[in-house]
Amino acid sequence: TSLFDPKDFPQLKNDTFLRAARGEETQHVPVWCMRQAGRYLPEFRESRAGKDFFETCRSPEACCELTLQPLRRFSFDAAIIFSDILVVPQAMGMDVQMVPGKGPTFPDPLKDPEDLQRLRVKVDVNTELGYVFRAITLTRHKLEGKVPLIGFTGAPWTLMSYMIEGGGSNTHSKAKRWLYQHPEASHMLLRMLTDVIVEYLLGQVAAGAQALQVFESHAGILGPAEFKEFSLLYLRDIARRVKDKLKEDGQDVPMIVFAKDAHYGVEDLSQSHYEVVGLDWTIDPRSARERTGGKVSLQGNMDPCALYAPKERISDIVHKMLEGFGTRGYIANLGHGLYPDMDPEHVGAFVQAVHKHSKQMIEQ
Ligand code: CP3
């Protein structure tokens, strides 16, 4: 079989992450970090040097190498495919560039509802995003069954906000203006995104993804009512449609929803067909458990900046976090991604502390 054959994958040796996602017993709490492939690693900076970001995303070999880098250093219990959420707006026909020092930039963002006509009506994900699927298949082989591979997507509202803002923003007022001035066009755009995302996630599973995370990174700029109407509805639709289709094919892939800063949405998110709710650091672990009533597994949520603390302090913070969440139905992670100036040694200390403390707690 060729390396690109999405069948005959090596047997999985460490299923701790998948078991925790399903709320099953484990011998230790699994851990991974959002943005574990990133600029905090010198080998990442070297691989990426002088290359365009989205060109890198289009190379299955480069994505595979960048995905594997953090696993050579740390005993993470999951890998996440190197890619970006903004490949979906690209697949819909929008130009997106990664400008060094500035971040993602859309030279020609959506301004008015008429601009929706610029988007592709029917997106063939195999044509437009096949490079991500090939990266997943290749990486799944090269992982040699060490840990499961997570696929991901941006959620509709987060992608909509990028497509209208044209890049990062403090207020997101251009995108929020649409919600209040053009609610119907907003829903039309969110539906278009949802349709592409469902096909995209199913394609990732067909290519070899063993879990899926949906990033609603811009949830926190919405109020509770707007969150329900413009975010939650679509998050639920995505999980339901992906799960229904997978069930038809006799497959079961755990799904994680990470809606950053959506404290008010935690109860609703725990009843949205996702096995796992990811949390940012502004939520107290115990109250998150109470509010989700043991219905889902939880993931998170150490403040990434706690990695600036001395290693002993990191270990204490991790211990408290584990006591708050408990060791069952829990996946340790940060409350958001790693930053480029973080010390890889402290990331290692975080991973070790999760494994050490959780083993002791489970054995007791
Ligand atoms: O390791 C992983 O987590 C997997 C890879 C991954 C990347 N982006 C690689 C990346 C994932 C899961 C993402 C998701 C993503 N991309 C999100 C959702 C998660 C979140 O942070 O809330 C968002 C909002 C984006 C959009 C995006 N892409 C931003 C804001 C940036 C940073 C720009 C900057 O200059 O700081 C990116 C670029 C990006 N995506 C980098 C990486 C490793 C860094 C740039 C580089 O490598 O040149």
Side-chain angles (χ1 to χ4, degrees):
T1 53
S2 96
L3 268 178
F4 290 91
D5 190 355
K7 286 177 276 308
D8 304 322
F9 286 128
Q11 199 186 341
L12 185 60
K13 296 175 196 126
N14 173 2
D15 66 350
T16 316
F17 165 83
L18 295 177
R19 295 179 61 83
R22 299 195 173 101
E24 296 166 9
E25 220 170 88
T26 59
Q27 282 169 338
H28 66 264
V29 165
V31 55
W32 67 283
C33 287
M34 291 187 271
R35 287 281 168 91
Q36 63 192 29
R39 285 169 291 185
Y40 75 104
L41 291 176
E43 59 270 33
F44 178 96
R45 295 196 296 269
E46 198 175 305
S47 304
R48 287 270 307 107
K51 297 190 188 85
D52 175 73
F53 179 78
F54 287 110
E55 279 309 314
T56 304
C57 289
R58 286 192 178 84
S59 158
E61 290 75 19
C63 292
C64 175
E65 165 60 19
L66 294 170
T67 303
L68 296 178
Q69 281 179 351
L71 295 154
R72 294 190 190 115
R73 281 187 185 245
F74 315 115
S75 37
F76 284 129
D77 294 284
I80 180 161
I81 190 68
F82 176 85
S83 187
D84 200 79
I85 61 168
L86 299 176
V87 299
V88 166
Q90 286 176 336
M92 295 170 80
M94 292 194 78
D95 184 13
V96 189
Q97 287 149 21
M98 196 61 71
V99 180
K102 187 170 171 223
T105 306
F106 292 64
D108 202 4
L110 304 176
K111 290 197 184 65
D112 308 297
E114 296 86 78
D115 290 337
L116 294 181
Q117 288 166 21
R118 285 173 19 209
L119 301 177
R120 282 195 186 101
V121 202
K122 186 87 188 74
V123 178
D124 181 343
V125 293
N126 285 313
T127 309
E128 301 301 329
L129 293 162
Y131 62 89
V132 180
F133 303 155
R134 287 188 285 280
I136 288 174
T137 303
L138 176 64
T139 306
R140 179 79 189 271
H141 279 287
K142 295 269 182 173
L143 267 169
E144 295 172 340
K146 214 170 152 192
V147 292
L149 180 60
I150 306 171
F152 70 89
T153 181
W157 159 245
T158 295
L159 294 179
M160 168 180 169
S161 79
Y162 269 114
M163 290 158 85
I164 296 170
E165 294 291 337
S169 160
N170 287 329
T171 60
H172 296 264
S173 54
K174 291 194 186 89
K176 288 177 77 178
R177 175 201 290 263
W178 272 52
L179 304 184
Y180 293 97
Q181 226 167 43
H182 312 298
E184 278 170 29
S186 297
H187 280 297
M188 187 188 287
L189 175 53
L190 291 166
R191 267 198 303 274
M192 290 172 78
L193 282 159
T194 299
D195 290 345
V196 180
I197 287 166
V198 167
E199 293 304 314
Y200 182 42
L201 290 176
L202 288 169
Q204 292 188 47
V205 173
Q210 291 154 291
L212 298 168
Q213 176 153 323
V214 180
F215 286 93
E216 188 69 291
S217 303
H218 296 170
I221 53 166
L222 299 175
E226 286 67 39
F227 173 73
K228 268 193 193 202
E229 179 178 352
F230 297 105
S231 168
L232 184 67
L233 200 74
Y234 297 97
L235 290 170
R236 282 187 173 150
D237 197 36
I238 289 166
R240 218 206 52 240
R241 286 164 63 183
V242 168
K243 293 210 164 278
D244 283 354
K245 185 76 185 71
L246 290 179
K247 214 184 256 165
E248 271 176 36
D249 307 340
Q251 273 178 303
D252 178 21
V253 170
M255 294 181 72
I256 308 166
V257 61
F258 175 63
K260 190 171 175 289
D261 295 322
H263 334 253
Y264 49 76
V266 166
E267 285 91 342
D268 280 335
L269 287 165
S270 74
Q271 297 166 41
S272 300
H273 322 293
Y274 291 84
E275 281 80 0
V276 185
V277 174
L279 304 168
D280 64 81
W281 64 89
T282 62
I283 305 181
D284 173 67
R286 278 196 177 77
S287 82
R289 272 290 184 222
E290 281 162 24
R291 290 168 59 194
T292 54
K295 279 190 283 289
V296 286
S297 292
L298 296 176
Q299 174 178 281
N301 75 343
M302 189 175 86
D303 183 349
C305 293
L307 291 175
Y308 295 128
K311 289 181 197 163
E312 311 74 57
R313 184 82 212 288
I314 294 173
S315 176
D316 292 343
I317 294 171
V318 165
H319 197 187
K320 285 207 184 67
M321 178 169 79
L322 285 161
E323 285 175 337
F325 282 111
T327 53
R328 186 81 179 257
Y330 174 51
I331 298 161
N333 203 314
L334 305 173
H336 201 195
L338 285 157
Y339 304 138
D341 68 349
M342 281 168 170
D343 183 345
E345 278 197 32
H346 287 218
V347 176
F350 171 69
V351 174
Q352 275 188 357
V354 171
H355 285 164
K356 185 182 108 191
H357 292 306
S358 65
K359 265 185 203 141
Q360 284 170 355
M361 290 167 72
I362 290 166
E363 276 163 16
Q364 264 171 19

